[in-house]
């Protein structure tokens, strides 16, 4: 693809942890934009695997589901203040790069794939964030209750941005 990438091979030595994002959590809880350029290198063998995640029983993350009947989905998951996960996603192919932008504007969660809106759901409540000890973002994994990366996956990430505001459709395209 002409850029440097980081590949995660499902081993504990191939994760990256960023954070904590605690000083910025009050901004993320109201509106944000999550942007990633990535590919899934191997379909999960069980329910799902995290690609980039800030989820430990709360928050948000990008996950790939296992294939059923030859199809799998990449979902952006968000936990609202009523402990309900909201998912919006798209079907994916292993080995194909996607530019995904998830936008939470305080009322709706939309997902854009390669600049085109692929889905949107209503989210009336603020985001539920995990305890401070778990407020990390893991690449190729998901943080546990003390911020360590677990649930390792097989993926490649070429770019990632997290904005403390909601981009509009024109800015995403």
């Amino acid at each position: 693809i002409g850029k440097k990438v980081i590949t995660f091979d499902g081993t504990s030595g191939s994760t990256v942890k960023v954070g904590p994002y605690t000083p910025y959590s009050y901004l993320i809880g109201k509106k944000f934009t999550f942007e990633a350029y990535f590919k899934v290198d191997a379909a999960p063998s069980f329910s799902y695997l995290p690609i980039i995640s800030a989820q430990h029983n709360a928050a948000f993350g990008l996950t790939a589901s296992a294939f059923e009947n030859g199809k799998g989905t990449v979902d952006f998951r968000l936990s609202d203040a009523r402990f309900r996960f909201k998912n919006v996603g798209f079907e994916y192919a292993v080995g194909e790069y996607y530019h995904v932008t998830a936008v939470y504007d305080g009322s709706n969660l939309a997902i854009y794939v390669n600049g085109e809106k692929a889905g949107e759901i209503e989210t009336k409540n603020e985001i539920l964030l995990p305890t401070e000890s778990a407020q990390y973002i893991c690449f190729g994994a998901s943080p546990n209750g003390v911020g360590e990366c677990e649930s390792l996956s097989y993926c490649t990430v070429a770019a990632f941005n997290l904005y403390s505001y909601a981009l509009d459709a024109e800015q995403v395209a």
Side-chain angles (χ1 to χ4, degrees), residues 38-41 67 70 72 74 90-98:
F38 69 94
K39 68 177 179 164
V40 176
D41 294 324
F67 280 97
V74 166
F90 63 96
E91 287 185 9
Y92 74 96
V94 170
E96 185 173 327
Y97 274 97
Y98 297 97

Side-chain angles (χ1 to χ4, degrees), residues 17-19 31 48 67 75 87 92 94 116 123 148-149 155:
K17 179 173 78 171
V18 177
K31 295 181 181 182
Y48 76 92
F67 280 97
D75 292 304
N87 298 329
Y92 74 96
V94 170
E116 300 292 323
T123 57
E148 297 302 320
C149 296
C155 62

Side-chain angles (χ1 to χ4, degrees), residues 64-122:
S65 71
F67 280 97
E68 283 187 37
N69 302 321
K71 296 180 181 177
T73 59
V74 166
D75 292 304
F76 188 81
R77 301 182 68 194
L78 162 65
S79 178
D80 72 15
R82 292 195 170 173
F83 298 95
R84 292 182 292 209
F85 276 103
K86 305 290 186 170
N87 298 329
V88 62
F90 63 96
E91 287 185 9
Y92 74 96
V94 170
E96 185 173 327
Y97 274 97
Y98 297 97
H99 178 217
V100 170
T101 306
V103 180
Y104 171 66
D105 67 6
S107 299
N108 295 293
L109 173 64
I111 191 167
Y112 297 81
V113 180
N114 301 328
E116 300 292 323
K117 187 183 271 189
E120 184 172 20
I121 57 172
E122 185 178 53

